[in-house]
Amino acid sequence: MRPSTVLILVLLLGSCSEKPPPAQAACVTKIETGALPVWARAGFSGDGSGNPHVFSKNGDMLGVLFGDPLKAPPAADHGNKILWVSRLPITTPSDFTIVAKLDGTGETVQPEVGPAPGPSIVDLPRPGCWRLTLRWSGHEDSMDLTYSS
């Protein structure tokens, strides 16, 4: 074979190989306790400082963790209560849905949480970092929540 033919074959074979899937960011729950954003302060005294909360990836939903730390199975002394507050307007009545996937496994659950936004108990079946897909009123966002044992 001529060198140019070999080079073409090598380039063609190289372009047919599988590309690795994109790396997924580590599953991490970033709990904050500073002031709540102005749009999430209704019902709180002052600026809401001291209340543990988690922002969704795009910042469109805030989860105030009244059940901090979140436990699986649920703790005897407190529930896994989360107050969900939407930054985006609720334009149509809708149910709030959560699809939770346990990081590093194929386990997926969909806890019932009721209308959006508002308070709910979110019990998940086992400890670990859960990746939540949140859907409400035509919106979608995601967040990671860690449940300890």
Side-chain angles (χ1 to χ4, degrees), residues 43-76:
F44 290 92
S45 59
D47 64 7
S49 291
N51 290 289
H53 55 277
V54 178
F55 286 94
S56 62
K57 181 179 177 185
N58 296 328
D60 293 335
M61 183 67 80
L62 179 80
V64 181
L65 308 178
F66 289 106
D68 186 42
L70 299 171
K71 296 282 196 169

Side-chain angles (χ1 to χ4, degrees), residues 5 30 38 51-52 67 69-70 75 93 111 114 131:
T5 305
K30 185 180 176 193
V38 172
N51 290 289
L70 299 171
R131 295 184 177 271

